[in-house]
């Protein structure tokens, strides 16, 4: 006979007692498992594993499923880092709120409400509403790239977002390899600047991005600080310059948090390349 603690992983570590009963767990068994600490009773009729993530438990205490950035991250989607630690909860179309006073952010949208983690499609729709177009765009492309959303899901998202979001969905593509690439393409698109990714340049090799056909942009990660890597980068920069390219290097933090500085460097380099 299956124990409740063996069934719960199927449900993201949290479920209604009635869901567990469909696997043959009696109410008595649930109560016994809660007494021994094998499972935790979260609220009336809701049970979790002892190690179920605190965010999922809080969302269930509130009355729904964890959604937005935290849910997308749990699905492996890239999401822009955001400062707040609020719990975002999907409440179905009209779920009942169980918290009396709290700072949870509730999202109502149609669909079969489950506890645990909201599905990727739902979480993306919610993210657009509360984190804005950049965060949504990067997460949407990341989910698409990882085949976490298919054509049907994308159509559903288009249907649920306001018409003012259509241009973002039109711009999005399924081959963006990183959140940084998505973010750069979106921000440069707004300025009317073309971005090519993972470009092979003769004598230089593969570069992260080429902007406006002439300026190489390399997004440096931590590893680039190693001496041998730095030496190779300097050779690449020299080869690029010989071939008429200018190389700009920024790190992730600059691109994400210091965009004004980055964009003015890009625009100046583009102007030089056309001079
Ligand atoms: Zn709450
Ligand atoms: Zn939200």
């Amino acid at each position: 006979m299956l124990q409740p603690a063996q069934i719960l992983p199927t449900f993201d570590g949290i479920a209604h007692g009635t869901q567990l009963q469909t696997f043959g767990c009696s109410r008595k068994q649930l109560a016994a498992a809660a007494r021994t600490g094998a499972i935790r009773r979260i609220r009336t009729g809701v049970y979790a594993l002892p190690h179920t993530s605190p965010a999922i438990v809080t969302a269930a205490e509130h009355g729904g499923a964890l959604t937005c950035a935290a849910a997308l991250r749990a699905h492996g989607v890239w999401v822009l880092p955001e400062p707040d630690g609020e719990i975002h909860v999907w409440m179905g179309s009209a779920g009942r709120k169980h918290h009396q006073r709290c700072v949870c952010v509730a999202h109502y949208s149609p669909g079969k409400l489950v506890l645990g983690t909201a599905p990727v499609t739902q979480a993306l729709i919610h993210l657009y509403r509360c984190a804005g177009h950049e965060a949504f765009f990067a997460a949407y492309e990341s989910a698409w790239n990882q085949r976490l959303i298919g054509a049907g899901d994308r159509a559903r998202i288009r249907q649920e977002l306001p018409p003012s979001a259509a241009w973002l969905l039109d711009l999005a593509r399924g081959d963006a390899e990183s959140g940084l690439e998505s973010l750069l393409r979106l921000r440069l698109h707004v300025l009317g600047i073309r971005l090519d990714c993972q470009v092979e340049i003769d004598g230089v090799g593969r570069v992260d991005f080429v902007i406006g056909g002439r300026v190489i942009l390399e997004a440096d990660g931590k590893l680039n600080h190693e001496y041998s890597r730095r030496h190779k980068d300097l050779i690449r920069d020299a080869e690029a310059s010989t071939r008429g390219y200018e190389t700009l290097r920024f790190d992730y933090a600059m691109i994400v948090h210091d965009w004004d500085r980055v964009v003015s460097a890009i625009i100046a380099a583009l102007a030089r390349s056309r001079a």
Side-chain angles (χ1 to χ4, degrees):
M1 191 169 49
L2 282 173
Q3 291 300 314
Q6 292 172 291
I7 306 164
L8 274 165
T10 320
F11 297 101
D12 257 350
I14 196 155
H16 287 284
T18 48
Q19 288 173 297
L20 299 172
Q21 282 166 28
T22 63
F23 285 77
C25 283
S26 65
R27 295 170 77 126
K28 223 167 135 184
Q29 239 186 317
L30 288 173
R35 260 199 312 277
T36 63
I39 61 173
R40 288 167 60 199
R41 184 176 165 281
I42 302 302
R43 57 179 164 83
T44 312
V46 175
Y47 299 91
L49 289 169
H51 61 262
T52 299
S53 103
I56 286 179
V57 169
T58 304
E61 283 169 345
H62 188 91
L66 185 67
T67 190
C68 279
L72 289 166
R73 279 195 198 100
H75 285 293
V77 175
W78 188 88
V79 188
L80 260 179
E82 89 262 47
D84 71 71
E86 286 164 339
I87 303 290
H88 294 233
V89 190
W90 177 37
M91 303 291 287
S93 44
R96 183 171 143 231
K97 180 182 172 219
H98 290 265
H99 273 159
Q100 294 307 316
R101 268 187 224 96
C102 68
V103 292
C104 301
V105 179
H107 288 278
Y108 294 88
S109 66
K112 188 178 181 299
L113 177 62
V114 287
L115 298 176
T117 311
V120 172
T121 302
Q122 289 290 349
L124 283 169
I125 293 165
H126 301 151
L127 189 76
Y128 177 82
R129 294 181 190 158
C130 62
H133 69 281
E134 280 195 343
F136 166 79
F137 183 80
Y140 180 78
E141 285 202 331
S142 166
W144 187 354
N145 181 252
Q146 297 179 71
R147 305 289 174 262
L148 295 171
I149 49 171
D153 302 313
R154 296 199 300 277
R156 162 100 195 272
I157 291 168
R158 191 178 284 270
Q159 214 171 23
E160 298 239 0
L161 296 193
S164 56
W167 72 278
L168 281 176
L169 301 170
D170 294 341
L171 183 67
R173 28 199 271 193
D175 62 354
E177 284 178 13
S178 68
L180 208 55
E181 174 186 330
S182 300
L183 208 58
L184 273 171
R185 186 149 31 77
L186 178 62
R187 288 177 175 179
L188 292 172
H189 173 83
V190 177
L191 300 168
I193 300 171
R194 182 191 159 85
L195 179 78
D196 295 303
C197 307
Q198 298 297 316
V199 182
E200 191 73 38
I201 300 175
D202 271 351
V204 178
R206 182 173 290 247
V207 302
D208 290 341
F209 306 102
V210 173
I211 296 172
R214 240 35 216 157
V215 175
I216 294 170
L217 190 156
E218 298 266 40
D220 287 356
K222 281 181 209 133
L223 292 171
N224 298 32
H225 294 299
E226 288 169 21
Y227 175 76
S228 64
R229 177 66 195 268
R230 178 162 162 73
H231 183 66
K232 280 183 194 139
D233 285 345
L234 294 174
I235 291 174
R236 275 157 67 91
D237 294 355
E239 290 295 331
S241 176
T242 302
R243 286 159 179 78
Y245 291 90
E246 179 169 351
T247 305
L248 298 176
R249 292 182 178 276
F250 305 110
D251 63 14
Y252 172 86
M254 281 183 81
I255 293 170
V256 173
H257 304 294
D258 200 3
W259 179 244
D260 288 349
R261 199 189 300 270
V262 169
V263 80
S264 68
I266 290 173
I267 288 170
L270 281 175
R272 283 194 293 277
S273 77
R274 289 176 189 136

